[in-house]
Structures are given as C-alpha cells and as structure tokens.
Amino acid sequence: MMVSGRIRPPGDKSVTHRALLFGAIASGQTRLERPLLADDTRAMAGALRKLGVHVPALRTHCPVLLDGVGRRGLVSPTRPLNCRNSGTAARLLIGVLAGSTATAVVTGDRSLRSRPMRRVTEPLASMGARFDEMHGDGLPLRVIGTSLRSTTCELAVASAQVKSAVLFAGLVAGVDVTVVEPMATRDHTERMARALGIPIETDGQRVTMHGVEAIRGFEMSVPGDPSSAAFLIGLALLADHGELTVTGMTTNPTRIGFLRVLERMGAAVVVEEQAAVLGEPIGDVTARPSELVGVEVAAQEIPSLIDEVPMLAVLASRATGESRFRGVRELRFKESNRLEGLARNLRAIGGRAAVEGDDLVVEGSDAAYRGVVETDGDHRIAMAFSVLGRQPSVRIQLTEDRSPSVSYPAFFEDLRGICDAG
Ligand code: S3P
C-alpha cells in the first residue's frame, strides 16, 4: 500500500462548536471560514436556529455568516434541541442555556441520551443553575435559564466539555467564574475568549474568566482537526511506501498528545509550524511509513489524546511489543464504550488486547487480521479500523460505515484519494 499527497483535514470540531456559540451570543455578525461541515456541527447550528440565532445552512465552500443575538438574546424554543450524536453540542449548550433567559429541553440520539450529564449540571448547579432531569443522569434534560452567581468550580472529571460549559454559563450570565480541573484539557474556549478580548487568567489547571457586558462578532478561519488528521497520519505510518502531508491543522499542545506518543513509538512524523489563527497555532504534519514499537501512555497524557486512542490502539496492534494506555476510563463515556469496544474488536480480528482496570493493553503483531468489527455506530472506531483495513494483509468488515459523517463526512473519499492499494 502506498500513500502520497497533501491533504487538509476537515475543520476542527471543537473549535467549530465554540466558534458557533461565541458567534451566537456575540453582538453583530460573525464570519467563519472552513468550519466543520458534519452531522455534529449541523446539530449545533440547528439548535442555535431554534434559539433564535440566524445561522445559514452549513454548506461546502461557503463561509458561515452568523448574526449574533447578544448575551441576553436567546429565546425559548417550542421544540426540544436535538443534539443528535454530539456530546459537545449538548454539554456546551447546557452551559449556555443555564446562564441565559431561555428555557429549553436538550436531547439527542440513543447514544447521546445515555451519556452522563450530571458531570455538567452539578458544577453549573453550584452557580445557581436550574434543571429538570427527565431521564436521570442522561438526556432529555430541561434547562431553565436563570441568573447565576460567581463561583469557583472544582471539577471531578478532566473534561474540556464540562470546563467549557461552566465558562460559557458565566459568559452568558455576565459573571466571573473560576474552574479548576484535575488534569489539563483542551483549551480552545480559553484561547478564543482571550483572542476576543474577554479577560481571562490561567494558572496551571485553574482558569478564571471575567464577566463582560458584550462580545463583538468576529472573523475566523477554522483550523483543520487533529483528531481527523490522526487517521490520515495513521494510514501513512501503516503504509509500505510514500509520504503524506496533512496541512493546516491546529497544533494546540492540548490536542496533539498523539504526536508525542507516536514519536515515542518510533514514527517518522515531522511538524512544520505555520501562522496562528485566533489564538490557535497551526501546522503541517508530514508522516512516512514506520516500524513502530510498543508504548506506555501515562494517565496525565490522556486528555491531550482522548479522541486519538482508537487510532493509537490500532497502531499499537501493528507495533512490536506491548502498549499500555493508562487511566482511559473516560473512553467508556464516549459515543460508545470505546474502552471495551477497542479491546473486543481487536480480539475479534485476531489481535490481542485487554482491559485491565482502567487501562487498555494491546499486544502488537504482524498477523493477517481478519474479521468483523462491530463499530457500535461510533465514528472513531469505524475510521480507525478502516485505516487498518487498508493494509493488504488485512480483511476487515465494518458493521456500518455511515458513522464517520458525524465528524468527517469525506473520510472514505479522502482515504481513496491518498492511498493506492498497489
Ligand atoms: C471535546 C472534549 C472531549 C472530546 C470531544 C470534544 C470538546 O470530551 O472527547 O470529542 O470539544 O470539548 P470530554 O471533554 O468529555 O473529554
């Protein structure tokens, strides 16, 4: 198998969600170039429309021009906000609504309805937020916007979604908030807030954002998504020949833990930094076929690569020796139970993998993997195993191939474009 070319991954999912939210609560117009056009961000745009924000349809090659309604301008929708498969849309919207003057029911597809929401509602409740639980810890959930008080929230889980929900709640309510996280997580909200002139201080894992009267509309070109790029980079590492460059992705240090791990695995990966955009560093990443070795990933590193564990685990199944991903408990609460799903699917195709407590252990092999991969409708499981399936010695069948549309609709097309089976 050979790889070649230069390819730009889709717009970053986390940045697109946040840019849509900042734009919605800003006063005036916001222009977003190259946002992620996928099911998850369309779910966010659809929810914002129901809250009275003018957001045009997210269409290819069209910048999104969004008319913000201001901090106090969101209106109560008559129907529930369906966030479909998107945990980020649901949790960030819960934060925004908590500090608003609107009341809304937040819901989602079957996977999202069963994901934990108290991790968000509990810290928000300490600020005075009001909720009506309609399904225990899951969704649907009614958020009753109210005035919030300035608080310090010590978070129990290392989650950028939870941190950002609290920061957005404070921003919409116009109060100061401090969040202390147990481990550093992605900091897009903080970087964008700072670039938009919102006073914000960070000190290690402690962030304080100050209430402001208004934020102004802005322009942003959304950088490429390292979590989507990881699949393309993984493909290049597993190839026999060639070289692939992924262009214009964010190289925010809180997102590229997987590149640091790949380096330890012996991967030939080179990053070339480009100019930053609205607080986000950008780079081009070139990857070449590599002989990989097993790796130990520490629990502290996990938040910086949480969405890349599926690809890293698949690469570990092709490395020499054992790999151990420590403290990956949070993988149980993603779009599927990724911890069990990864181990089960690697075994289903003839690999060796196990869950030991909160660790994922994968034994490398060059066996001719064969079998059926049950994706559980999870985009990142589907994409990681599709990459493995490109190796000539591997024969894998996925139970579905629609799920990549939630974060990377052109995934299969892009794979075909950069990869030559011969
Ligand atoms: C995200 C944070 C992560 C990640 C998700 C996007 C974000 O979730 O898995 O895909 O945009 O803040 P957690 O914060 O729950 O770990």
Side-chain angles (χ1 to χ4, degrees):
M1 189 239 301
M2 177 168 151
V3 287
S4 61
R6 291 171 66 82
I7 182 161
R8 192 184 161 96
D12 188 77
K13 180 156 75 70
S14 296
V15 172
T16 302
H17 278 303
R18 286 157 175 79
L20 288 170
L21 281 178
F22 275 116
I25 58 171
S27 306
Q29 199 173 67
T30 286
R31 180 188 171 94
L32 302 179
E33 302 272 357
R34 300 185 197 246
L36 172 64
L37 310 172
D39 292 355
D40 272 18
T41 48
R42 289 198 167 99
M44 174 66 97
L48 291 173
R49 268 178 223 123
K50 285 194 179 137
L51 291 167
V53 184
H54 176 76
V55 193
L58 304 190
R59 282 203 304 265
T60 325
H61 306 308
C62 285
V64 173
L65 294 176
L66 192 142
D67 290 318
V69 293
R71 238 176 14 88
R72 311 308 292 159
L74 298 175
V75 298
S76 301
T78 47
R79 304 232 311 275
L81 306 177
N82 187 347
C83 296
R84 290 148 72 168
N85 194 243
S86 177
T88 311
R91 295 193 178 116
L92 265 49
L93 279 165
I94 289 171
V96 164
L97 287 164
S100 76
T101 51
T103 291
V105 173
V106 176
T107 190
D109 68 9
R110 204 218 288 228
S111 147
L112 182 57
R113 288 199 303 271
S114 67
R115 293 177 66 185
M117 295 295 147
R118 284 188 184 143
R119 54 178 54 201
V120 191
T121 55
E122 282 172 359
L124 290 170
S126 75
M127 301 171 71
R130 291 173 57 209
F131 304 100
D132 228 351
E133 285 187 353
M134 298 156 84
H135 184 57
D137 191 10
L139 296 177
L141 173 79
R142 180 175 288 109
V143 190
I144 305 147
T146 186
S147 54
L148 301 181
R149 54 181 174 266
S150 171
T151 328
T152 296
C153 297
E154 306 242 0
L155 302 185
V157 278
S159 161
Q161 292 178 354
V162 177
K163 171 177 65 177
S164 300
V166 171
L167 295 176
F168 271 111
L171 186 62
V172 173
V175 298
D176 298 357
V177 275
T178 298
V179 187
V180 186
E181 31 178 15
M183 286 189 271
T185 65
R186 64 191 67 189
D187 62 357
H188 304 297
T189 308
E190 298 91 305
R191 285 172 187 259
M192 288 180 74
R194 191 170 290 119
L196 296 177
I198 300 164
I200 182 160
E201 291 128 34
T202 51
D203 175 13
Q205 281 135 237
R206 186 183 187 90
V207 188
T208 300
M209 196 156 99
H210 297 278
V212 289
E213 205 42 58
I215 54 174
R216 274 202 301 276
F218 57 95
E219 291 194 4
M220 182 182 202
S221 173
V222 176
D225 195 324
S227 301
S228 298
F231 299 109
L232 308 172
I233 293 167
L235 179 79
L237 298 177
L238 292 182
D240 300 304
H241 313 283
E243 180 180 284
L244 182 72
T245 300
V246 176
T247 63
M249 68 170 225
T250 174
T251 52
N252 179 326
T254 62
R255 289 293 298 284
I256 56 163
F258 75 101
L259 291 181
R260 296 186 283 267
V261 168
L262 287 177
E263 204 168 290
R264 303 210 297 273
M265 294 178 84
V269 176
V270 178
V271 182
E272 205 182 311
E273 293 293 336
Q274 309 289 340
V277 172
L278 213 72
E280 291 288 337
I282 311 288
D284 295 346
V285 180
T286 299
R288 280 184 285 112
S290 304
E291 297 286 327
L292 301 174
V293 293
V295 71
E296 168 129 0
V297 183
Q300 293 290 332
E301 297 180 87
I302 298 301
S304 71
L305 49 77
I306 185 74
D307 291 341
E308 290 65 72
V309 178
M311 189 67 249
L312 287 172
V314 160
L315 291 173
S317 81
R318 279 321 206 191
T320 305
E322 186 185 279
S323 293
R324 181 176 288 266
F325 299 86
R326 291 198 182 273
V328 283
R329 182 186 134 79
E330 273 299 302
L331 290 182
R332 296 187 196 276
F333 309 111
K334 296 297 172 187
E335 288 82 332
S336 71
N337 180 341
R338 285 186 187 156
L339 181 50
E340 296 296 341
L342 281 168
R344 193 186 62 232
N345 282 311
L346 284 169
R347 288 196 300 265
I349 59 171
R352 286 172 61 193
V355 177
E356 292 181 6
D358 285 340
D359 294 358
L360 173 66
V361 184
V362 181
E363 184 67 42
S365 158
D366 56 6
Y369 290 142
R370 276 172 178 42
V372 175
V373 167
E374 169 55 77
T375 70
D376 287 327
D378 186 319
H379 55 137
R380 299 203 197 277
I381 299 276
M383 290 190 276
F385 281 93
S386 297
V387 166
L388 183 60
R390 286 277 156 167
Q391 285 201 310
S393 64
V394 177
R395 298 263 178 283
I396 285 175
Q397 216 186 312
L398 302 181
T399 49
E400 58 78 32
D401 61 5
R402 291 179 314 278
S403 56
S405 69
V406 314
S407 64
Y408 194 167
F411 173 69
F412 292 108
E413 201 180 313
D414 282 359
L415 272 200
R416 283 193 294 275
I418 57 176
C419 169
D420 176 348

